[in-house]
Amino acid sequence: MAIVCGVDEAGRGPLAGPVTASAVVLPGDFPVSILRDSKKLTARARNEVALRVRSEALAWTLGWASHAEIDRFNILQATFLAMRRAVLALSVSPDVV
């Protein structure tokens, strides 16, 4: 079975600060239906989902691109950089991202 990695970012909207990305590899039986838009969840539900993801994930990591990298490369390329850093930091090598 292929190891599939999901990646997402946060922090693209602020005028200052880093952009952050997370990479996660979940087990095949994880109920992905609970992974909805976090802005549509209550704070309690968002926390419960985050705890479940971190406890059941086969691997998860964070990656960042600094405000200087955003200024140098642009927000889109800095986002890709943060995502790349997160994926490369995983303790397992995904087959698909």
Side-chain angles (χ1 to χ4, degrees):
M1 179 183 269
I3 298 173
V4 178
C5 170
V7 182
D8 200 7
E9 56 71 32
R12 286 185 58 172
L15 294 175
V19 62
T20 304
S22 177
V24 65
V25 177
L26 296 170
D29 62 348
F30 191 87
V32 294
S33 62
I34 68 171
L35 303 174
R36 294 180 283 178
D37 185 343
S38 63
K39 295 174 200 84
K40 294 180 181 179
L41 297 175
T42 64
R44 180 178 177 185
R46 197 169 35 250
N47 188 49
E48 289 173 1
V49 170
L51 290 171
R52 185 159 182 190
V53 166
R54 287 193 302 265
S55 69
E56 295 183 29
L58 302 177
W60 68 272
T61 60
L62 299 173
W64 293 271
S66 70
H67 65 86
E69 291 169 320
I70 294 168
D71 291 345
R72 181 175 178 195
F73 302 122
N74 76 42
I75 187 60
L76 179 61
Q77 295 307 314
T79 300
F80 292 153
L81 180 59
M83 289 177 166
R84 178 179 166 84
R85 288 173 175 163
V87 171
L88 291 175
L90 286 167
S91 61
V92 298
S93 295
D95 298 311
V96 178
V97 177

